[in-house]
Amino acid sequence: MSSYGQVYVENGKYRLKGDFHHLTPNMPIRDKNDNWRLLGVTNPRDMTYIHSYGGEAVFFESLSKGKLLGTRCENPDCDYKGTAYIPFRIHCPDCLGKNKIEDFTKLAQETGKIHTFMVCERSGAFNALDKPIKFINIEFDGISTILMSYLSLGDPKFGMRVVPIFRTLDPTYTILDLSWVPEGTKASELPEGFSF
Amino acid sequence: MIHFTDKQLKIPKMQRPVYLVTAGQSKFDRAMPDKRTEELCVDALTMAADLANMTPAELKGYIHTAYYGHFADHFGDQLLGEAVIHDRLGLDPLGNIGVKTGGATGGSTIWEAFKAVASGYSDCSLAMGWERMDEVPTDEGNFLISSAADKDWESPLGHIYTGYYAVMAQRYWQIFGKSEDSFRKTLAEISVKHHGYARMNPFAQAGMKITVDDVLNSPVVADPLRALDCCLMSVGAACVVLCDEETANEFAKKTPHKPLRLYSAAGSHTLRPADRRDMEIPLLPHESKDLYKDLAERFPGGERYPGFSGFLAARMAAYYGYGMSGVTNPMDDLDVLELHDAFTISDVQTYEDIGLRPYGEGRDYVESGDCYHTNPKTGEPGKLPSNLSGGLIGCMHAVGATGIMQTLEVATHIWNRWAEIHGDDKLWKKFGRTKPSDWTDLQVKGAKRGMAISHAGVGSHVTSTILMDPDHLLKKD
Ligand SMILES: [Zn+2]
């Protein structure tokens, strides 16, 4: 019985447990219209990447706790001091100083507004979202950037007020743990595992 | 950055002029199960030799360095593919390097080769690009393409690049297109035009005689965009050969066409549209600040620049390119264009970024008939025809080759060799394609100057490649 590959860090080193790849045999590719002559082979690959969130890890961990973090440059010598960012930026793009982490959950709840959106009928392999996917880009008062995410309930419109919801039950620790619903949505209507 | 210093805005000044002496490309198709990539690259280089009246070995004898554009090596599961191609082209032990900038890879490859020649490092450089997107099933292909978005913040959202791109289209559609049926129809006309021109191009994979209604009735991909609004997925290769003046003069003794002056420039912007900050619109030579003072009144919601509706990278590529080559107004100074029509709507957005029309008024370039080979309103030649190859929608989008194919297409017009190359019955036959009975010569008569725009991602990298007949330059060196 195989188990999913798991990774933890000890003494600054990755420690691996379980199966990280599965051997699938390659198969010939042949031409039906030409006496089934050989054209090539399939090369199956099933691999697991080991990825560090680095300085953004706190952002992804906080989603599972119902918090939306962003950052702000507070370098007094920066020409753009005070500029606030969601998506989270570890460093100020202007002075490259380390930004201060701020909890913008309340700001998002009170000022989140759809800047633009797209209802997408298609998805790529390994998609975990229900289709159609309602992509939304959300602007917030006082934030210099516009966050991309997805709407879980209702139909998106320009200027529509939306509030964040968080996958606090069985979080994936990915950006999928953050979603949005129209302002006024009741807690009972939220998708399974999500809360305000 | 949202403010730029004079040093950053410096117009590039090259050490010496650079010329495009010849170019070649393979057939383009959705899949080529019977060809290795190196075979496609050999096809492209062989065509470049043919056009220069040389054998491949003679042409290779000039090449001093090679620049290879190949974006998605994860499709092919082969790193250092450049070394494979370089060896199969028999160019060892010359220096070579791979270039990767998403959809702009072809243009960026030319940018690099251009600098090699301009600096004096090489007297002759090859810029060759290729892509094959037939090596995985389509949904896995979409997954791999979505890796070009931010892996933590964007790609997990459906692993579908169209979704990240089309939010910008939606914004443009509602703010500048005002969600009008007439604008939707204009977008459809772009698709009709590009599929239609592709019918005259034996290299193109999606020539189609279609109507506006066909486009409007094709399956929805991401509203308002439909299947026929979107670029192709392709396999193929293309190359150009760039030289200094002395070497170009040697070529000129053998080739039936003039070496063309080539200028190349590049701009950039954030990988995630999410990170775009509000800024002032950088102006092109023919624009004044007044042009945009009431933009937000005319287009409510259009006050943010570039917001999600413009491409700063394209604007900057045009700014540097026009400055280098002396273009003051592209509508007056250029004769033919190849633009990066990833989607019909991004084609319109690009018209504004590169100054064919002011921001907000891109649709007029189509609606006036200026973009056509023959203006359907007047029956006269279009003022500045674009994408006569069929572009990414009708001809191909073999990513690493795309910007190079575009440059080749522009060159064929300035050489006055468009009909000879695209009308060649033998070529149609060789590619297994039927030359239409109503095949039309799309040569832009008297073309002296043209430009190709190569564009990556949601606008992370954009290049402008400007070609000119050396007897019709706009600026002294
Ligand atoms: Zn700063």
Side-chain angles (χ1 to χ4, degrees):
Chain A
M1 183 69 193
S2 66
S3 64
Y4 293 123
Q6 293 185 38
V7 182
Y8 64 97
V9 173
E10 188 180 32
N11 299 330
K13 290 195 178 73
Y14 286 118
R15 307 282 185 208
L16 277 55
K17 239 175 77 184
D19 294 341
F20 280 79
H21 48 84
H22 306 271
L23 184 65
T24 312
N26 57 285
M27 306 288 281
I29 302 169
R30 295 185 174 277
D31 189 346
K32 187 179 174 184
N33 301 119
D34 190 3
N35 212 17
W36 295 103
R37 82 183 164 97
L38 182 73
L39 287 170
V41 291
T42 64
N43 284 318
R45 293 275 186 277
D46 177 2
M47 309 203 327
T48 302
Y49 290 94
I50 298 169
H51 173 51
S52 167
Y53 280 138
E56 291 182 4
V58 60
F59 169 84
F60 290 97
E61 179 111 272
S62 295
L63 293 180
S64 69
K65 297 173 184 160
K67 276 195 283 188
L68 177 64
L69 301 188
T71 61
R72 187 189 298 277
C73 175
E74 295 218 317
N75 175 1
D77 299 328
C78 178
D79 289 346
Y80 303 90
K81 175 178 180 272
T83 308
Y85 299 94
I86 312 177
F88 192 102
R89 286 186 84 107
I90 304 165
H91 293 275
C92 167
D94 297 303
C95 68
L96 301 188
K98 193 116 184 203
N99 280 345
K100 183 172 155 274
I101 297 171
E102 274 188 47
D103 184 343
F104 286 129
T105 318
K106 193 157 176 283
L107 179 83
Q109 285 162 344
E110 287 169 0
T111 74
K113 227 169 48 181
I114 293 183
H115 180 76
T116 185
F117 65 90
M118 174 55 57
V119 178
C120 190
E121 310 286 339
R122 296 185 183 178
S123 67
F126 309 109
N127 168 46
L129 295 177
D130 292 335
K131 281 190 280 188
I133 302 167
K134 290 172 261 180
F135 289 100
I136 56 170
N137 303 77
I138 312 135
E139 53 184 64
F140 311 99
D141 289 356
I143 303 290
S144 68
T145 50
I146 293 173
L147 177 72
M148 154 111 55
S149 188
Y150 66 105
L151 188 71
S152 282
L153 293 171
D155 294 316
K157 274 191 240 13
F158 275 30
M160 182 173 155
R161 278 274 297 115
V162 288
V163 295
I165 58 170
F166 302 90
R167 197 195 308 256
T168 47
L169 194 70
D170 292 333
T172 63
Y173 303 103
T174 69
I175 197 69
L176 301 181
D177 291 348
L178 173 67
S179 183
W180 301 77
V181 293
E183 186 184 35
T185 299
K186 294 194 196 72
S188 59
E189 296 171 302
L190 298 187
E192 206 186 325
F194 279 85
S195 57
F196 286 112
Chain B
M1 295 186 296
I2 53 174
H3 293 105
F4 320 116
T5 65
D6 290 345
K7 286 190 171 62
Q8 290 165 338
L9 291 173
K10 172 199 130 129
I11 297 300
K13 174 107 182 68
M14 311 318 287
Q15 301 286 329
R16 57 181 187 166
V18 177
Y19 294 83
L20 181 150
V21 290
T22 189
Q25 62 191 13
S26 72
K27 175 187 174 177
F28 301 112
D29 218 333
R30 174 67 185 89
M32 292 206 204
D34 57 344
K35 288 245 186 189
R36 290 177 73 93
T37 306
E38 67 212 51
E39 295 173 78
L40 302 170
C41 293
V42 167
D43 286 350
L45 194 64
T46 303
M47 175 176 163
D50 284 347
L51 287 187
N53 278 349
M54 289 180 189
T55 64
E58 274 177 280
L59 175 59
K60 280 167 53 182
Y62 286 93
I63 295 170
H64 179 256
T65 46
Y67 290 80
Y68 294 124
H70 175 212
F71 175 47
D73 45 17
H74 57 339
F75 269 74
D77 206 9
Q78 170 71 66
L79 300 184
L80 280 182
E82 299 85 6
V84 177
I85 301 301
H86 195 65
D87 164 55
R88 303 303 195 273
L89 293 176
L91 288 172
D92 291 319
L94 305 176
N96 75 85
I97 193 165
V99 179
K100 282 186 205 323
T101 56
T105 295
S108 300
T109 306
I110 293 176
W111 189 47
E112 288 304 310
F114 163 71
K115 290 181 288 182
V117 174
S119 69
Y121 187 99
S122 294
D123 294 339
C124 178
S125 280
L126 170 70
M128 167 83 77
W130 64 87
E131 208 71 48
R132 60 184 319 148
M133 312 196 85
D134 61 346
E135 296 189 299
V136 289
T138 301
D139 65 336
E140 289 179 25
N142 277 322
F143 172 85
L144 292 177
I145 292 169
S146 82
S147 318
D150 186 295
K151 68 181 276 178
D152 293 327
W153 291 79
E154 296 175 324
S155 346
L157 300 165
H159 299 293
I160 181 80
Y161 207 85
T162 314
Y164 324 137
Y165 204 98
V167 292
M168 300 186 301
Q170 183 71 243
R171 184 84 191 169
Y172 188 92
W173 158 250
Q174 292 207 21
I175 302 292
F176 294 103
K178 305 192 173 184
S179 309
E180 290 170 1
D181 287 346
S182 60
F183 181 55
R184 187 45 275 216
K185 192 168 155 280
T186 298
L187 296 178
E189 279 168 6
I190 295 170
S191 173
V192 172
K193 164 181 171 261
H194 295 186
H195 284 292
Y197 288 150
R199 291 179 64 235
M200 312 306 163
N201 179 357
F203 300 93
Q205 78 189 62
M208 280 190 246
K209 201 170 189 170
I210 52 170
T211 64
V212 163
D213 284 338
D214 292 332
V215 181
L216 298 180
N217 292 324
S218 64
V220 174
V221 173
D223 183 70
L225 300 177
R226 291 170 179 266
L228 287 170
D229 286 299
C230 304
C231 64
L232 303 161
M233 276 173 112
S234 311
V235 177
C239 70
V240 293
V241 178
L242 307 186
C243 293
D244 73 321
E245 192 160 292
E246 200 183 319
T247 314
N249 285 336
E250 278 183 50
F251 268 82
K253 287 179 201 142
K254 300 176 189 168
T255 56
H257 56 244
K258 280 187 204 175
L260 305 179
R261 268 302 287 274
L262 182 140
Y263 307 87
S264 176
S268 70
H269 205 193
T270 62
L271 178 72
R272 299 183 294 219
D275 294 310
R276 296 177 173 192
R277 292 151 71 191
D278 195 16
M279 65 178 75
E280 267 183 48
I281 300 177
L283 300 175
L284 295 177
H286 63 304
E287 292 181 337
S288 69
K289 248 189 169 147
D290 287 353
L291 193 59
Y292 296 119
K293 66 174 193 287
D294 61 347
L295 187 67
E297 285 159 47
R298 288 183 287 130
F299 301 99
E303 57 279 347
R304 197 176 164 116
Y305 182 82
F308 276 36
S309 49
F311 294 114
L312 175 68
R315 171 117 310 205
M316 296 314 291
Y319 163 84
Y320 291 119
Y322 294 169
M324 285 167 87
S325 62
V327 169
T328 49
N329 183 338
M331 288 304 300
D332 297 335
D333 295 336
L334 301 176
D335 303 307
V336 59
L337 295 175
E338 285 284 335
L339 304 179
H340 190 95
D341 51 335
F343 299 92
T344 49
I345 199 160
S346 52
D347 206 44
V348 176
Q349 290 168 285
T350 303
Y351 307 156
E352 302 173 1
D353 297 318
I354 64 171
L356 307 184
R357 292 292 188 276
Y359 278 110
E361 293 163 39
R363 60 191 283 183
D364 183 64
Y365 172 61
V366 178
E367 290 165 3
S368 63
D370 284 355
C371 69
Y372 290 89
H373 177 265
T374 304
N375 186 327
K377 296 230 159 75
T378 63
E380 298 292 314
K383 189 166 161 62
L384 179 54
S386 67
N387 293 29
L388 299 174
S389 68
L392 282 65
I393 287 174
C395 177
M396 66 80 139
H397 189 21
V399 182
T402 304
I404 300 176
M405 172 281 284
Q406 295 173 315
T407 303
L408 175 153
E409 289 291 337
V410 170
T412 62
H413 288 283
I414 306 177
W415 287 334
N416 196 26
R417 296 186 75 180
W418 191 92
E420 172 202 337
I421 293 165
H422 298 81
D424 180 1
D425 293 324
K426 285 200 296 289
L427 197 63
W428 283 92
K429 213 170 152 197
K430 185 175 135 195
F431 290 164
R433 291 182 169 140
T434 309
K435 189 175 174 181
S437 55
D438 60 345
W439 183 85
T440 309
D441 181 356
L442 297 178
Q443 169 70 43
V444 174
K445 298 237 158 52
K448 301 296 178 213
R449 306 181 204 105
M451 177 169 73
I453 294 290
S454 196
H455 173 128
V458 291
S460 65
H461 304 70
V462 177
T463 66
S464 62
T465 305
I466 297 172
L467 289 176
M468 292 189 189
D469 179 321
D471 298 321
H472 292 83
L473 300 183
L474 295 170
K475 190 178 180 179
K476 278 201 180 123
D477 293 311

